[in-house]
């Protein structure tokens, strides 16, 4: 038996509770991990609250991330005592996830814990920070350099946005943070934003093409925000889209893409191949300022994760939330 959040759906309805869970609930896998820390992402909030059909199998342990230590392995890549991290792969949706003291997963889903990170720091990064790094890598590989001009980060107070600002600023980029909580401007500037704009400047229906401003964009919002970001990106600039907090629609035209040669990159963190994951984590270990990471992070217990999940969906959570699954 081990403790974890268990989501059930039956005649009593959809429920998420902290329970003692039998090992038999864990699905097939060739590596068992004792979890040290997990975290809360937007998708975890949807799963715990039931606000969207994220969970596809019941009962389910939510949590798309975890960091911990291998306690049993039938996979030649891993031995007992190895410290590992998992992000994505449908964990917490179709395969029991990280908001528990124990997990059983496929060995090919794991990556080594970066030597410069503790499990807590790795989960302060989590899928949000790993996704932010994938976005930064996309802009870099497109050829965007700090000297090229401003980079816009939308949803700046969220997990992806916060880490993206810290990463970009550390690499020398001028970062403009877009947020619905302008009252948090000083926090965003402390992370490295050079200026802060209200999300209302981008969230309403806009023109097919606007004044050129951004050398690059990291968008976590989607919908009109993404459309307006594309419409105001400079000639041959790039937009990395990784979120849909504002909606799944994309009410845009082809104008930015065929008149300015703007490139739109879709960033998938869930099924990214191992080499891509390893590159992202290695760069995070090298480029992310741990002082800034700590400043955007708070830690909670497993019991607290359920109410905090609702706060996250309501836009009341700043930065990153680490869950100590053992308390």
């Amino acid at each position: 038996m081990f403790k974890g959040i268990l989501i059930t759906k039956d005649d009593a309805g959809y429920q998420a509770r902290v329970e003692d869970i039998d090992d038999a609930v864990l699905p097939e896998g060739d590596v068992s991990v004792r979890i040290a820390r997990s975290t809360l992402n937007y998708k975890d909030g949807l799963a715990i609250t039931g606000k969207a059909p994220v969970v596809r199998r019941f009962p389910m342990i939510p949590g798309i991330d975890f960091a911990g230590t291998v306690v049993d392995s039938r996979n030649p890549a891993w031995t007992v005592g190895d410290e590992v991290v998992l992000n994505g792969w449908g964990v917490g949706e179709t395969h029991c996830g990280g908001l528990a003291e124990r997990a059983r997963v496929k060995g090919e889903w794991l990556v080594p814990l970066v030597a410069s990170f503790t499990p807590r720091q790795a989960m302060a990064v989590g899928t949000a920070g790993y996704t932010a790094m994938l976005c930064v890598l996309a802009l870099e590989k497109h050829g965007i350099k700090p000297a090229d001009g401003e980079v816009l980060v939308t949803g700046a107070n969220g997990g992806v946005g916060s880490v993206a600002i810290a990463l970009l600023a550390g690499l020398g980029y001028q970062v403009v943070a877009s947020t619905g909580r302008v009252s948090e401007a000083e926090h965003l500037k402390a992370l490295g934003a050079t200026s802060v704009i209200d999300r209302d400047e981008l969230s309403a229906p806009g023109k097919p093409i606007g004044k050129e401003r951004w050398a690059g964009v990291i968008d976590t919002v989607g919908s009109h925000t993404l459309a307006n970001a594309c419409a105001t990106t400079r000639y041959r600039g790039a937009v990395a889209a990784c979120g849909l907090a504002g909606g799944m629609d994309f009410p845009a035209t082809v104008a930015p893409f065929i008149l300015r040669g703007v490139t739109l990159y879709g960033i998938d963190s869930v099924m990214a191949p191992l080499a891509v994951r390893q590159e992202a984590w290695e760069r995070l270990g090298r480029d992310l300022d741990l002082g800034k990471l700590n400043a955007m992070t708070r830690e909670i217990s497993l019991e607290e994760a359920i109410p905090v999940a609702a706060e996250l969906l309501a836009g009341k959570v700043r930065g990153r939330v680490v869950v100590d699954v053992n308390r």
Side-chain angles (χ1 to χ4, degrees):
M1 302 290 286
F2 60 94
K3 186 171 288 187
I5 296 176
L6 192 67
I7 297 174
T8 57
K9 185 178 182 181
D10 51 30
D11 292 341
Y14 189 102
Q15 299 182 62
R17 297 182 296 249
V18 175
E19 297 186 10
D20 289 323
I21 303 170
D22 194 285
D23 278 7
V25 171
L26 295 177
E28 287 296 313
D30 54 10
V31 178
S32 293
V33 178
R34 181 176 65 249
I35 298 174
R37 296 290 192 281
S38 186
T39 181
L40 282 180
N41 296 285
Y42 192 81
K43 188 178 287 185
D44 299 318
L46 294 173
I48 290 170
T49 61
K51 296 291 186 182
V54 169
V55 176
R56 308 297 173 83
R57 188 175 299 171
F58 298 92
M60 176 59 61
I61 299 169
I64 64 174
D65 295 320
F66 65 72
T69 305
V70 173
V71 293
D72 183 66
S73 175
R74 293 179 285 108
N75 187 304
W78 304 104
T79 59
V80 173
D82 287 343
E83 291 190 296
V84 294
V85 171
L86 183 142
N87 309 105
W89 295 114
V91 169
E93 303 172 68
T94 59
H95 191 104
C96 286
L99 286 168
E101 295 174 333
R102 191 174 176 91
R104 187 188 297 133
V105 298
K106 295 180 179 181
E108 57 263 36
W109 293 350
L110 300 168
V111 296
L113 176 69
V114 175
S116 55
F117 287 152
T118 64
R120 183 188 188 277
Q121 289 167 334
M123 287 298 96
V125 174
T127 285
Y130 149 66
T131 303
M133 189 74 248
L134 293 177
C135 292
V136 172
L137 288 170
L139 297 186
E140 284 185 342
K141 290 173 181 178
H142 187 80
I144 296 172
K145 302 177 294 296
D148 292 336
E150 295 175 317
V151 175
L152 171 70
V153 176
T154 68
N157 269 302
V160 177
S162 296
V163 178
I165 291 168
L167 285 168
L168 289 166
L171 292 167
Y173 291 88
Q174 301 173 62
V175 185
V176 177
S178 169
T179 179
R181 288 175 277 170
V182 181
S183 59
E184 299 278 8
E186 291 309 309
H187 167 71
L188 296 174
K189 289 180 179 179
L191 292 180
T194 52
S195 60
V196 178
I197 62 174
D198 195 299
R199 69 180 175 198
D200 289 347
E201 293 187 30
L202 296 165
S203 60
K207 297 178 180 178
I209 199 161
K211 183 179 179 181
E212 295 179 66
R213 181 166 183 184
W214 323 113
V217 177
I218 294 177
D219 177 63
T220 72
V221 179
S223 192
H224 291 291
T225 297
L226 176 57
N228 287 323
C230 291
T232 49
T233 295
R234 292 184 180 181
Y235 181 73
R236 297 192 69 80
V239 178
C242 65
L244 43 73
M248 290 184 66
D249 59 323
F250 183 41
T253 73
V254 299
F257 311 113
I258 63 174
L259 297 180
R260 288 191 182 148
V262 171
T263 299
L264 176 59
Y265 290 99
I267 305 300
D268 164 51
S269 60
V270 177
M271 306 300 288
L274 179 60
V276 173
R277 292 169 182 269
Q278 289 177 323
E279 181 185 13
W281 277 102
E282 286 167 5
R283 285 289 304 273
L284 283 160
R286 187 166 76 243
D287 295 339
L288 184 56
D289 184 316
L290 294 182
K292 290 181 178 180
L293 180 65
N294 184 62
M296 69 176 82
T297 304
R298 65 166 164 146
E299 186 172 277
I300 62 174
S301 68
L302 198 58
E303 292 278 357
E304 293 173 293
I306 295 175
V308 173
E311 294 175 15
L312 190 155
L313 294 189
K316 297 179 180 179
V317 172
R318 182 177 77 181
R320 303 289 296 128
V321 178
V322 171
V323 182
D324 182 346
V325 299
N326 297 290
R327 71 174 177 91

